[in-house]
Amino acid sequence: MATADWNPLGNVYYRNVELYQMDWNGLLELNQYMIAAAPYGGPIALMKDDKKTGRVSTNVKPIINVYNAAGKPLSQLRWNSGNVVHLGWSNTEELLCIQDNGVILVYDIALNFKRTFGMGQEAKEMKILDWKVFSSFQGTGIAVMTTSYRIYLINNVDDPRVRKLAEVPDLNSAPSSWTILNLDRQSRALVAKDAQLFLVDHGGQYQEQFPELASTVTAFIEMAVSFNNKLLAMFTDKGVIWIGSSDLKKVYCEFNTKASQRPQQLAWSGVGAVVALWDKLCIVVGPEKDWIKYNFESFVYLVQEEDGLRIIGNELHQFLQKVPDVTEQIFKIGSMEPGAMLYEASKEFSRRSQKADEYIRMIKDKLDVAVDQCIQAAGHEIEPSKQKALLRAASFGKCFLTDYRPEAFVDMCQMLRVLNQVRQFSVGIPLTYTQLNHLSVPVLIDRLVLRKLFCLAIRICHYLKIPDAEGASRILAHWACYKVQQKHEDEEQLARSISQKLLDAPGVSFSEIASQALEQGRKQLAIKLLDYEPKASEQVPLLLKMDQNNTALSKAVDSGDTDLVYTVLLTMKDKISNMGEFFMAIRQMPIAYSLYIQYCRQQNPKLVEDLYYQEDNFLAEGNCKVVSSYSEEMFEDRIRKLEAAITCYQKAKMEFASKQTEDQIKLLKIQRKLEDESNKTYIDMSLHDTMYKLTQNGNHKMTEQLRKDFKVPDKRFWLLRMEALAESSDWTELERFSKSKKPPVGMEAFVDVCMKYYNRTEAMKYVNRVTPDQKVKCLVKVGNLKEAADSALESRNEDSLNIVLSKAIQSNNKQLIETIRDYKIRLNTKK
Amino acid sequence: MDVHLLKQLQRDQLAHMLESEPGKKDFVIDPCFTKLLDRIAGATFLKDHGVDKIYKLDPSQKSLAGTDIRFYFVRPAIPTIKLIANHINAEKSSHGLRKYKIIMVPRKLHVCEKILESEGVYGSISIEDFNLELVTLDNDILSLELPDFLRNFYLDGDQTWLHTVASSIVHLENLYGNIPNVYCLGKGAQMTFDLINLLSDKPREESVEKGDNQNIGHLFIIDRDIDFVTPLCAPVTYEALLDEIYGIECGIIDLTNPDSTSNTPGKLLLTAENEIFQMIRNRHFSYVFAYISDKAKELKLVHDKKDDLKSVKDMRHFVSNDLRSLKQQQKLLAQHIGACEYIMSTKSKGSFEEFTHVEHCLLQGSDTKECINFIEECLYKQTNWLTVLRLICLLSLTEDGIQSKDYKSLRTKFLHSHGFDLMPSWFNLKKLGILTEYELPQVNKPLGKMASITRRGQFKSLSKRLNLVPKVSENVDLRTPNDMSYVFSGAYTPLACKLVDLILSRESLISLDDVLKLIPGGVKCDMRLKPASKARGGHSIPSSPAAKVVLVYFLGGCTFSEIAALRYLARREGYKITIATTAIITGNSFVESVMERKPI
């Protein structure tokens, strides 16, 4: 009978389902232990409690054992730190060991130490009196009460920031009870000072609370907050259980248990009932004062869940829950709900009875509801046989529906399969369907990974068709990280097996695995693994950390990201004290080498010269010296630099460059002398400019000297001199110059230079001396078009005449145009 | 491909960054960003997002006053970072509470962090990236505004900015879809392509083959070093001339003539939105004035309308509608006229015609002796050193090396004219392969010299095979262009543009193999979008509109002449060509950027 284990509590039913026969049965007595069990079917931690065993405490350090929910041992640790007063679990299934000095040590499920933090100075000095582990809005929180009755709390164990709560007025002895309430996104403590209730927050405020009370109270001695933080139960010294909302504004009932003794545990089963436990007896109290009594054969421990209460004992692990509505609708005796009818029909159908048809006819209109009910009810069953029966009913009902969407059915089948797998004794995570929905599949997979059940996790991912990047790859990465910690395995083989599995998995970070390997001191393995990392930006820093400079450098160069190259170069430079060695290392990589030179050019120009020297690149070294000579302030230093440059150029067999540099030194020395003599600036002028300036200043002797010294071509000298003289309007000297010998530039250059400085009269002098074939052109240049035309006619050159004509048209000289046209006719007729 | 999307994204990013720090803040910018920032977001935009004062980073200032929050908006260069560190150290004592944020554009570099660390300020600052890569300069021009690229990459072998180029392309692909056909012309281009594949999150092949969301069909990545000739040639199109003579910075020109009587000063934004400019920007300069005078007459006509106005209503209509645009157009026209005049006067001052003649001779490879004589004469006459150096470079490039004797004499003469300090720069040009010496092969030389012999003749054979120098330049119509070479008066077609034209029209490289062999650094292509007609297996892919959209990315900068040529190509063939570049260069800025020490 499906309803055999149902107990009525007012209008609803409660059932106590067996989850597991405990594996530890007969091996231990729970009542001798300090117990911590994580919600959502999480692991159970046990530590022998000397107070409970009544033994004289010895110096032997206690042992912490972690079991799965089926009592199968997972890990063990001999405690070697301070005095542990409490154990708790965080929402990421980390074990929190609270010591009496307020220091909390965090371990993972395999009892590997992860981190530690304290609850502040006062807790450390005063020791702590009491503690609560609670779930806050940000994760798992811890609150401790010091021996001076002050409460300190943190909201998130992953980000431990200690807050001090306000003081409860006139609290001179330990409060009779207290708990942490999460209201309005803030954690506050509800402290009972005998019959008075105070709500204290970390803003320094306290408020006295006055909940509605029918019975008289001298002290609240126990409190329990429901899983969803909305409901509160308080136990008074008179044996009354007060049940209300956690803001103390609403009261559901006050139930007198007539028990004078403080209950061993007060807890909520889901949100529907409060459970008080005394040794082997427990009472379930509903909001309407209804109650059920359960007896146990031995000591039990209660764990609150979202939708029920887990009861862990020596032999059994049970789950007390309110019978879900839909289950009740189907299985309640005499139920006429469509689901119940469908379930009956399906049963009859399997017996090949025609009654099946009758039942179906009865619910014909509500068949879709019936199917939904059966699917939902299947989800709430723990027994696979019951799940099957319900799903078979749903599937049977579906046959009569034409447009029923199958997703709900398929989803439920998949979820149940996953749930049944993780509920297995060896895995031991007794999740209900409701809990899984709240926890979500990715978190479940994380929890499997924490338990090193990689294979199961991956199979679930594949079964649920979770994309590899979010599911399988992540699991594989965790697997690989775990794998590298196994020191007995051969590195070569390990690297190969990891790469085999992970290479095709998208989104796996090999660098993360490698850094894990490095942490384990397995450098060679890390290097091998890093080779598989496709992102150079991940590879390089780790390689550097492992002193694999050359590999890092070549990886960085291959990546084409110069920034990475710089990272390597600069790190290497800091690490290798011997510069020569450093240069040798980078010389093999031209890209890195030129980058380093770029860097030095801006940071330390002298170093660039050294680098070129090292490399026997004497030309570049010489160039550097020449360039840097210009920034020398002292004249002598400049000369010295240039002389050094000459040596370089000679080594480089750059004859031209060394000659030029020698000339430059010579020129500089002359310029220096000139400056001393004339008080004019000459230094840094080019040879041409120097001669030009000298000519303008009338120092023809020096000009002549320079011309000889530097073998200045005649043409340049003439043009230079003409220009200089014309610019300084030294027309007489210009004329004398023109007559000194036959000018290598032609007489027309004189015309040009005169016109450039707007002296037409002077220009005319030279026009008469130019060769006849240039005459027309020169006349045009000086602007004497008429004469140009005449001259062209004279030389009988029509082309020249045309040029003059076009100029005349440009200047719009009508008379001249006529004349030239006339000339042209004359020229043609004469032919 | 809407390039303004980029701009909008950058604005949003900037706003987000500014508002990450609540409260009033000062904004100190690298001087190289002033114009650039103007183009993305003006001063008002910055003020709207909480910026109090804007400073230019000035090496002479040792510290700054201002509010308690300060942003530095800089390129990650060592001297700049040192300067900032000095600021912070100097202010530490007086302004202990100030918050500093250094924004490195386009990304932060480890070197800079190291510097900050060694200067002891790393703890008191926060560093952020600002991923400002390609800036939208116009409807069809994107620029990284990295003029240093050319020098850093080709001369110093520093690949820092190559990474930026690659990542800018990856970002473009994220926005506009993967580009199926990629052609890499030159070595740097191929390196860039490898980097793109490294940087892409997903393997490109897959997403390209899927073909969804493709807005761009072809990407050309072109190395500047495959064609140094183009930037050295004197420009003749209007926009290119403006850039050469005034200098256009981020699309903004300052038309204040230093020695002109025209009184139309002022800054002008040169984009397609400027209607008159749009009409003349790509014209050969000799036909610009014709358009402007037509336009002036047209304006006069509209202006004359005011005399015919009969009623008050007409009057009001005229004043409220026409007058305003009229005034504006008049002003613009005046500005362009002023610019034209100034260009003319500058050009006629030197012996411009002779220069052009020599340039054309060099490109054709005729009368080399005369050209050398002309260059020598220029040296004797102390013609502007940049102009002469450009001609010498052009001589070396078109002759594939200057004959030893001439090379030596030109070099000595050049240094005598313009100073010994240019010698290292000469070596730089030599290193780039722009100025090379060519020794006449002697009969009994060992075989090792053969390599240099094959190199010789590269320009000549390229130009012959690709018909870069039209045989009869008279056929090129400069008024209504009928050939890309119009951008150099019909004397030369920019190599990059010619290759783009050829490859796009053939849709494959197969028939071009023997030509592409000649390209320095080689050519590689990755083609995923097969031309519709040639698709195998019967299922022809319908040619998507993206097939006509082309992105041409110049590494090391491009000139406005090339841009004009590509615009002409786009018009002729119905392509939509967008030009991306590391910077827009002119002949002078190109040569100057590889100089060792800029002469004062």
Side-chain angles (χ1 to χ4, degrees):
Chain A
M1 204 55 179
T3 56
D5 57 348
W6 292 13
N7 287 309
L9 187 77
N11 303 328
V12 298
Y13 294 88
Y14 269 74
R15 67 177 173 187
N16 195 2
V17 194
E18 178 184 319
L19 294 173
Y20 300 109
Q21 302 264 355
M22 294 310 271
D23 196 37
W24 63 38
N25 188 10
L27 300 175
L28 50 82
E29 282 294 328
L30 273 184
N31 57 3
Q32 295 175 354
Y33 288 88
M34 189 185 289
I35 307 170
Y40 293 104
I44 305 163
L46 299 182
M47 187 171 108
K48 259 222 167 116
D49 191 344
D50 289 338
K51 271 178 275 171
K52 287 184 182 170
T53 50
R55 276 193 307 171
V56 185
S57 61
T58 55
N59 280 338
V60 180
K61 293 285 186 185
I63 293 173
I64 297 179
N65 281 300
V66 173
Y67 301 86
N68 72 8
K72 188 181 154 217
L74 294 178
S75 50
Q76 195 178 55
L77 171 80
R78 182 169 288 279
W79 187 251
N80 58 6
S81 200
N83 188 13
V84 176
V85 289
H86 186 71
L87 296 173
W89 290 94
S90 77
N91 57 347
T92 49
E93 298 200 325
E94 289 167 329
L95 183 65
L96 313 167
C97 304
I98 305 173
Q99 294 185 159
D100 59 357
N101 57 357
V103 171
I104 289 132
L105 293 96
V106 184
Y107 290 82
D108 70 5
I109 203 166
L111 292 176
N112 297 313
F113 176 73
K114 296 191 79 168
R115 59 187 191 278
T116 179
F117 54 88
M119 292 298 289
Q121 198 58 33
E122 188 178 330
K124 197 171 176 181
E125 282 163 10
M126 309 286 293
K127 302 281 177 192
I128 58 172
L129 188 68
D130 203 3
W131 43 82
K132 304 276 176 208
V133 176
F134 61 96
S135 91
S136 71
F137 291 105
Q138 292 155 337
T140 302
I142 295 176
V144 295
M145 179 177 282
T146 64
T147 47
S148 57
Y149 317 122
R150 292 302 299 266
I151 300 172
Y152 293 85
L153 71 75
I154 56 169
N155 275 319
N156 185 358
V157 290
D158 292 325
D159 176 24
R161 266 178 296 187
V162 181
R163 295 170 195 279
K164 184 180 188 177
L165 293 189
E167 205 171 353
V168 177
D170 307 323
L171 189 65
N172 300 321
S173 60
S176 49
S177 68
W178 64 290
T179 193
I180 302 294
L181 293 177
N182 272 305
L183 292 169
D184 313 321
R185 299 196 65 80
Q186 201 190 42
S187 300
R188 281 180 268 202
L190 181 68
V191 183
K193 182 186 163 198
D194 296 332
Q196 277 178 296
L197 288 170
F198 295 94
L199 198 58
V200 292
D201 62 19
H202 57 68
Q205 301 293 315
Y206 72 84
Q207 285 170 292
E208 191 167 357
Q209 301 289 323
F210 302 99
E212 207 178 300
L213 267 173
S215 48
T216 51
V217 177
T218 44
F220 295 100
I221 55 173
E222 197 64 58
M223 294 180 186
V225 186
S226 71
F227 197 86
N228 65 2
N229 263 313
K230 294 214 170 94
L231 300 166
L232 176 71
M234 294 188 287
F235 192 87
T236 73
D237 58 341
K238 296 284 189 313
V240 171
I241 301 177
W242 179 92
I243 302 175
S245 64
S246 56
D247 56 8
L248 296 143
K249 294 210 169 97
K250 208 164 177 188
V251 184
Y252 295 105
C253 75
E254 282 170 44
F255 176 82
N256 195 342
T257 59
K258 300 195 180 73
S260 54
Q261 217 184 339
R262 171 198 288 258
Q264 197 176 302
Q265 256 186 299
L266 187 69
W268 284 83
S269 166
V271 291
V274 177
V275 180
L277 175 77
W278 289 270
D279 202 10
K280 289 166 189 170
L281 168 85
C282 100
I283 294 176
V284 181
V285 183
E288 311 277 327
K289 282 197 184 183
D290 308 292
W291 59 280
I292 315 165
K293 194 173 87 178
Y294 285 102
N295 278 308
F296 300 101
E297 295 186 356
S298 65
F299 175 87
V300 291
Y301 180 76
L302 308 178
V303 187
Q304 283 188 185
E305 291 282 0
E306 184 186 0
D307 56 346
L309 181 77
R310 284 191 291 130
I311 302 164
I312 301 167
N314 282 340
E315 296 94 32
L316 288 179
H317 189 161
Q318 289 162 304
F319 185 57
L320 175 72
Q321 72 169 158
K322 172 178 168 289
V323 175
D325 291 344
V326 49
T327 312
E328 191 188 320
Q329 280 159 357
I330 289 174
F331 291 113
K332 193 175 169 184
I333 294 162
S335 168
M336 295 298 278
E337 285 286 325
M341 296 309 228
L342 180 59
Y343 186 68
E344 278 307 311
S346 158
K347 270 206 304 209
E348 294 299 336
F349 178 72
S350 62
R351 281 189 214 126
R352 296 163 179 265
S353 154
Q354 87 284 8
K355 273 192 193 158
D357 183 51
E358 283 171 30
Y359 283 125
I360 291 290
R361 277 175 199 285
M362 282 166 74
I363 52 163
K364 212 173 166 191
D365 305 335
K366 294 178 234 155
L367 206 53
D368 51 344
V369 180
V371 174
D372 283 342
Q373 283 180 337
C374 285
I375 294 172
Q376 287 304 315
H380 292 300
E381 289 306 321
I382 304 276
E383 277 286 310
S385 61
K386 284 186 187 164
Q387 295 165 358
K388 269 188 203 159
L390 283 161
L391 287 173
R392 204 173 288 128
S395 155
F396 177 64
K398 239 156 48 79
C399 298
F400 300 95
L401 290 167
T402 47
D403 55 353
Y404 188 81
R405 296 183 63 81
E407 284 89 346
F409 182 77
V410 176
D411 280 355
M412 183 55 79
C413 288
Q414 284 184 338
M415 282 305 149
L416 280 177
R417 185 150 181 215
V418 171
L419 280 172
N420 289 339
Q421 282 304 317
V422 300
R423 278 175 197 155
Q424 287 242 338
F425 173 78
S426 57
V427 182
I429 305 179
L431 277 181
T432 65
Y433 181 68
T434 325
Q435 287 167 19
L436 178 62
N437 274 342
H438 192 224
L439 196 66
S440 79
V441 174
V443 177
L444 175 64
I445 287 172
D446 282 348
R447 300 205 158 175
L448 291 175
V449 168
L450 279 180
R451 287 165 174 76
K452 319 261 175 265
L453 299 166
F454 301 108
C455 180
L456 179 63
I458 286 191
R459 291 215 174 120
I460 289 177
C461 284
H462 287 163
Y463 177 66
L464 295 178
K465 299 200 172 59
I466 294 172
D468 275 359
E470 295 160 33
S473 297
R474 211 159 47 90
I475 298 165
L476 281 171
H478 280 290
W479 166 79
C481 286
Y482 170 65
K483 219 45 189 168
V484 296
Q485 293 170 20
Q486 295 173 335
K487 301 220 164 149
H488 53 87
E489 289 214 35
D490 177 54
E491 299 202 332
E492 190 68 46
Q493 206 184 333
L494 208 54
R496 210 177 316 125
S497 69
I498 288 175
S499 65
Q500 254 172 17
K501 278 211 167 59
L502 269 65
L503 263 190
D504 299 330
V508 172
S509 159
F510 273 94
S511 65
E512 224 165 80
I513 303 166
S515 71
Q516 186 76 39
L518 188 63
E519 239 166 66
Q520 299 294 323
R522 309 183 77 173
K523 202 163 133 184
Q524 286 312 312
L525 180 62
I527 294 168
K528 280 192 189 98
L529 286 171
L530 260 188
D531 222 26
Y532 297 107
E533 172 64 53
K535 281 192 204 129
S537 53
E538 303 271 323
Q539 258 175 340
V540 168
L542 207 58
L543 282 169
L544 282 177
K545 212 165 135 195
M546 294 189 289
D547 282 329
Q548 299 298 307
N549 297 332
N550 291 340
T551 327
L553 190 57
S554 67
K555 293 273 182 208
V557 168
D558 289 347
S559 79
D561 184 348
T562 47
D563 194 34
L564 270 183
V565 182
Y566 271 132
T567 312
V568 181
L569 285 177
L570 298 182
T571 320
M572 273 170 85
K573 204 183 107 201
D574 291 348
K575 269 200 280 196
I576 304 175
S577 46
N578 181 352
M579 277 314 252
E581 204 178 302
F582 171 63
F583 290 150
M584 281 303 283
I586 63 169
R587 262 178 73 170
Q588 281 127 24
M589 316 253 179
I591 294 174
Y593 188 73
S594 51
L595 275 176
Y596 189 66
I597 286 183
Q598 276 288 82
Y599 170 74
C600 290
R601 205 167 276 163
Q602 288 164 331
Q603 276 289 64
N604 186 355
K606 180 76 186 68
L607 209 54
V608 183
E609 282 173 37
D610 293 352
L611 272 168
Y612 284 133
Y613 175 75
Q614 283 252 337
E615 207 192 356
D616 295 348
N617 188 346
F618 299 118
L619 173 62
E621 190 194 348
N623 285 344
C624 281
K625 287 199 162 47
V626 169
V627 172
S628 67
S629 81
Y630 283 93
S631 45
E632 294 290 351
E633 279 173 21
M634 300 296 288
F635 184 78
E636 286 72 23
D637 290 339
R638 282 186 67 170
I639 300 292
R640 214 165 296 130
K641 273 262 166 164
L642 288 175
E643 276 162 356
I646 292 176
T647 328
C648 293
Y649 288 134
Q650 277 165 350
K651 276 194 217 158
K653 299 207 167 56
M654 292 295 295
E655 225 174 279
F656 162 76
S658 61
K659 175 76 178 50
Q660 283 299 323
T661 319
E662 273 168 34
D663 281 0
Q664 173 67 8
I665 295 175
K666 199 157 74 182
L667 181 64
L668 272 174
K669 284 182 177 160
I670 293 170
Q671 285 171 338
R672 166 90 172 191
K673 212 174 97 200
L674 286 170
E675 282 193 0
D676 289 349
E677 284 168 4
S678 67
N679 210 9
K680 290 193 172 85
T681 47
Y682 282 98
I683 285 180
D684 277 343
M685 290 177 106
S686 72
L687 176 64
H688 188 109
D689 292 341
T690 311
M691 288 169 74
Y692 192 89
K693 194 166 182 178
L694 283 170
T695 312
Q696 279 194 320
N697 291 334
N699 192 343
H700 301 304
K701 199 177 131 227
M702 198 65 220
T703 321
E704 199 60 34
Q705 165 106 38
L706 282 173
R707 178 189 171 188
K708 263 186 223 141
D709 282 0
F710 293 97
K711 296 194 184 74
V712 176
D714 272 355
K715 208 171 168 189
R716 180 192 287 273
F717 179 71
W718 277 76
L719 285 169
L720 178 152
R721 183 138 188 207
M722 282 156 57
E723 177 103 16
L725 291 174
E727 199 193 357
S728 47
S729 303
D730 195 348
W731 305 112
T732 38
E733 181 64 34
L734 184 66
E735 195 172 351
R736 198 177 317 141
F737 184 49
S738 78
K739 286 171 182 161
S740 63
K741 63 177 183 182
K742 189 175 175 286
V745 288
M747 214 34 100
E748 61 274 16
F750 281 88
V751 180
D752 285 344
V753 85
C754 291
M755 284 313 290
K756 190 173 171 190
Y757 295 98
Y758 312 108
N759 194 332
R760 221 174 128 191
T761 353
E762 283 296 321
M764 278 313 286
K765 282 186 195 163
Y766 301 102
V767 171
N768 298 323
R769 290 170 60 193
V770 299
T771 48
D773 54 317
Q774 294 285 339
K775 192 149 188 193
V776 179
K777 213 169 135 195
C778 288
L779 281 167
V780 170
K781 275 181 189 162
V782 296
N784 200 339
L785 295 179
K786 178 74 180 55
E787 248 180 69
D790 290 346
S791 168
L793 180 69
E794 213 169 286
S795 60
R796 316 181 54 79
N797 189 336
E798 200 183 347
D799 289 345
S800 311
L801 210 50
N802 282 335
I803 295 171
V804 184
L805 180 63
S806 70
K807 289 281 170 194
I809 293 170
Q810 256 182 31
S811 58
N812 212 5
N813 187 339
K814 291 220 173 80
Q815 196 194 342
L816 189 61
I817 295 169
E818 284 306 312
T819 321
I820 296 171
R821 285 199 174 130
D822 186 36
Y823 285 177
K824 273 179 86 174
I825 297 163
R826 258 201 267 168
L827 206 61
N828 287 329
T829 48
K830 271 189 190 171
K831 263 179 193 167
Chain B
M1 180 185 176
D2 177 19
V3 289
H4 294 287
L5 189 63
L6 262 182
K7 187 172 165 185
Q8 192 53 48
L9 280 175
Q10 285 159 352
R11 279 172 73 100
D12 292 350
Q13 212 184 336
L14 188 65
H16 181 78
M17 188 192 70
L18 287 171
E19 282 176 0
S20 64
E21 256 347 298
K24 285 264 169 235
K25 52 226 140 205
D26 292 325
F27 205 63
V28 186
I29 53 176
D30 218 327
C32 69
F33 283 133
T34 38
K35 293 264 169 46
L36 191 134
L37 216 57
D38 258 0
R39 290 303 306 272
I40 302 171
T44 7
F45 181 87
L46 294 179
K47 298 242 151 113
D48 285 348
H49 290 91
V51 172
D52 193 35
K53 281 200 188 73
I54 303 168
Y55 300 93
K56 259 187 216 175
L57 193 61
D58 181 358
S60 62
Q61 275 169 314
K62 295 284 167 256
S63 71
L64 289 170
T67 54
D68 283 345
I69 307 169
R70 184 181 304 156
F71 281 60
Y72 285 95
F73 194 79
V74 292
R75 289 257 185 243
I78 296 175
T80 319
I81 299 297
K82 277 191 174 164
L83 194 62
I84 295 175
N86 289 344
H87 276 183
I88 297 174
N89 277 329
E91 290 163 21
K92 238 177 199 167
S93 46
S94 53
H95 270 91
L97 289 169
R98 193 171 270 159
K99 225 172 171 177
Y100 299 96
K101 194 173 219 169
I102 303 178
I103 297 143
M104 300 197 190
V105 186
R107 64 176 190 142
K108 64 178 170 202
L109 294 182
H110 184 79
V111 195
C112 297
E113 288 177 73
K114 273 264 160 161
I115 301 276
L116 290 167
E117 223 175 278
S118 65
E119 299 283 334
V121 295
Y122 194 69
S124 37
I125 51 152
S126 61
I127 305 175
E128 240 183 82
D129 291 334
F130 186 65
N131 206 338
L132 183 67
E133 287 164 349
L134 286 170
V135 183
T136 310
L137 293 187
D138 205 340
N139 289 340
D140 57 351
I141 310 176
L142 300 170
S143 168
L144 286 179
E145 292 298 306
L146 279 173
D148 292 342
F149 183 95
L150 192 96
R151 188 204 170 95
N152 285 350
F153 182 63
Y154 295 111
L155 190 63
D156 298 332
D158 177 352
Q159 298 177 5
T160 307
W161 299 129
L162 205 62
H163 188 274
T164 307
V165 171
S167 103
S168 75
I169 295 177
V170 171
H171 285 138
L172 281 183
E173 288 203 325
N174 288 344
L175 268 182
Y176 300 107
N178 285 93
I179 305 170
N181 290 357
V182 182
Y183 316 89
C184 308
L185 313 180
K187 197 160 159 265
Q190 286 161 38
M191 287 161 76
T192 311
F193 185 62
D194 292 342
L195 265 180
I196 294 172
N197 282 326
L198 263 180
L199 290 176
S200 299
D201 300 337
K202 289 168 272 180
R204 281 183 81 255
E205 293 96 30
E206 271 177 40
S207 38
V208 167
E209 245 133 55
K210 261 190 247 155
D212 34 323
N213 182 33
Q214 277 176 5
N215 286 307
I216 307 171
H218 308 267
L219 167 66
F220 286 85
I221 310 175
I222 300 172
D223 264 294
R224 183 73 274 168
D225 71 349
I226 66 166
D227 175 25
F228 282 132
V229 173
T230 307
L232 291 170
C233 293
V236 291
T237 59
Y238 184 54
E239 193 170 10
L241 275 169
L242 283 181
D243 194 18
E244 167 123 336
I245 289 175
Y246 288 96
I248 300 175
E249 210 184 319
C250 282
I252 299 168
I253 192 170
D254 189 355
L255 282 173
T256 321
N257 294 343
D259 53 336
S260 161
T261 47
S262 94
N263 52 353
T264 49
K267 286 181 181 162
L268 192 59
L269 182 63
L270 298 178
T271 64
E273 277 144 46
N274 184 335
E275 202 185 308
I276 297 175
F277 179 65
Q278 178 65 11
M279 291 305 292
I280 51 176
R281 68 196 309 187
N282 299 321
R283 282 184 184 230
H284 193 275
F285 185 67
S286 38
Y287 297 100
V288 168
F289 215 79
Y291 176 83
I292 292 184
S293 67
D294 283 354
K295 187 83 191 168
K297 277 174 206 153
E298 203 179 292
L299 280 187
K300 190 169 180 324
L301 269 179
V302 182
H303 201 258
D304 289 345
K305 232 167 65 181
K306 76 171 193 291
D307 300 332
D308 309 336
L309 294 174
K310 298 277 179 327
S311 64
V312 177
K313 200 178 152 201
D314 284 354
M315 192 89 83
R316 181 195 283 164
H317 186 263
F318 177 80
V319 170
S320 60
N321 291 319
D322 299 347
L323 198 60
R324 209 183 156 166
S325 75
L326 204 65
K327 279 261 164 72
Q328 201 149 16
Q329 295 219 2
Q330 256 174 343
K331 194 183 156 211
L332 282 174
L333 214 51
Q335 279 176 321
H336 286 300
I337 293 169
C340 283
E341 276 172 359
Y342 183 63
I343 292 172
M344 297 261 268
S345 70
T346 318
K347 282 289 167 193
S348 59
K349 212 185 276 169
S351 32
F352 175 67
E353 274 161 40
E354 280 170 75
F355 270 102
T356 317
H357 175 71
V358 167
E359 195 178 291
H360 291 185
C361 283
L362 286 174
L363 288 166
Q364 280 161 18
S366 58
D367 302 326
T368 317
K369 198 71 226 160
E370 239 170 70
C371 295
I372 294 175
N373 285 340
F374 178 77
I375 293 171
E376 280 183 357
E377 198 156 310
C378 287
L379 285 172
Y380 294 154
K381 287 185 179 164
Q382 291 293 82
T383 316
N384 176 291
W385 69 273
L386 266 173
T387 321
V388 185
L389 191 54
R390 273 170 69 175
L391 272 186
I392 301 176
C393 291
L394 205 57
L395 172 71
S396 162
L397 285 169
T398 53
E399 291 292 307
D400 302 302
I402 306 173
Q403 281 199 9
S404 211
K405 181 172 64 70
D406 295 328
Y407 180 80
K408 285 188 175 123
S409 94
L410 280 175
R411 192 167 55 175
T412 314
K413 283 168 187 159
F414 180 75
L415 294 187
H416 277 179
S417 280
H418 300 293
F420 170 76
D421 50 345
L422 286 167
M423 189 176 73
S425 307
W426 186 286
F427 289 126
N428 284 351
L429 288 166
K430 188 176 173 187
K431 198 173 160 194
L432 281 170
I434 294 174
L435 264 184
T436 47
E437 181 178 359
Y438 163 67
E439 278 174 56
L440 278 173
Q442 286 165 16
V443 188
N444 291 327
K445 275 268 164 174
L447 274 166
K449 282 277 165 186
M450 285 299 283
S452 65
I453 296 166
T454 48
R455 198 192 133 71
R456 187 177 155 81
Q458 204 170 52
F459 174 80
K460 282 183 177 162
S461 42
L462 257 180
S463 100
K464 206 160 117 203
R465 292 207 198 182
L466 290 173
N467 197 17
L468 294 179
V469 179
K471 294 230 169 48
V472 202
S473 52
E474 279 81 13
N475 279 356
V476 176
D477 186 351
L478 302 181
R479 191 187 178 91
T480 44
N482 55 0
D483 189 89
M484 281 195 283
S485 63
Y486 93 94
V487 299
F488 291 120
S489 303
Y492 178 66
T493 315
L495 174 64
C497 307
K498 188 76 183 182
L499 287 172
V500 170
D501 180 19
L502 267 181
I503 293 171
L504 283 178
S505 63
R506 307 264 174 107
E507 290 182 312
S508 85
L509 299 182
I510 299 155
S511 52
L512 297 171
D513 259 1
D514 53 332
V515 178
L516 298 180
K517 258 195 316 220
L518 295 169
I519 309 273
V523 174
K524 207 174 79 180
C525 77
D526 183 65
M527 288 172 68
R528 312 249 160 223
L529 186 79
K530 300 283 180 296
S533 51
K534 288 169 197 162
R536 247 190 266 162
H539 66 286
S540 70
I541 311 144
S543 80
S544 64
K548 283 271 173 193
V549 183
V550 184
L551 179 68
V552 182
Y553 206 130
F554 286 92
L555 304 183
C558 71
T559 60
F560 274 115
S561 301
E562 280 161 310
I563 294 176
L566 287 172
R567 280 177 181 152
Y568 163 74
L569 179 68
R571 253 195 329 274
R572 194 186 71 193
E573 303 289 334
Y575 298 129
K576 166 119 184 49
I577 298 183
T578 303
I579 295 127
T581 175
T582 52
I584 294 177
I585 55 171
T586 66
N588 288 349
S589 75
F590 162 61
V591 176
E592 266 176 338
S593 73
V594 293
M595 292 290 108
E596 195 51 55
R597 177 174 170 273
K598 281 166 196 156
I600 311 129

